[in-house]
Amino acid sequence: MRHLALLLASTVLLFAADKPAAAPAKVAPKYQEGSCCDKATKRGDKCNHPCCVKAAKVGKVCDHCNEPVKK
Ligand SMILES: [Zn+2]
Ligand SMILES: [Zn+2]
């Protein structure tokens, strides 16, 4: 039953995300300048590093290859 609840929750989330009338501009993933992902994207390709593919699958940017900007 947990499964069903989860499914329902994500459905609700999907509908909630659909609410805004003006479609927000697609935010480009924040790849670090010069990283493998950045280079691949600029080639019109996708980075095929296993770590990056894994991160992309969950909607993230691999932070092994794209370190957050240090201040
Ligand atoms: Zn990469
Ligand atoms: Zn990576």
Side-chain angles (χ1 to χ4, degrees):
M1 270 305 141
R2 241 188 105 75
H3 233 77
L4 189 70
L6 211 71
L7 195 76
L8 271 170
S10 47
T11 307
V12 169
L13 271 175
L14 269 175
F15 274 113
D18 218 32
K19 270 264 162 73
K26 219 178 180 186
V27 183
K30 276 193 177 177
Y31 293 135
Q32 193 184 37
E33 188 74 31
S35 73
C36 51
C37 306
D38 185 51
K39 285 180 194 164
T41 306
K42 280 175 182 167
R43 277 203 311 267
D45 211 349
K46 271 185 192 169
C47 181
N48 55 13
H49 284 187
C51 53
C52 305
V53 172
K54 207 169 142 190
K57 263 191 189 168
V58 291
K60 285 185 182 172
V61 169
C62 174
D63 47 34
H64 271 289
C65 309
N66 303 276
E67 284 179 41
V69 182
K70 285 168 192 154
K71 281 185 184 170

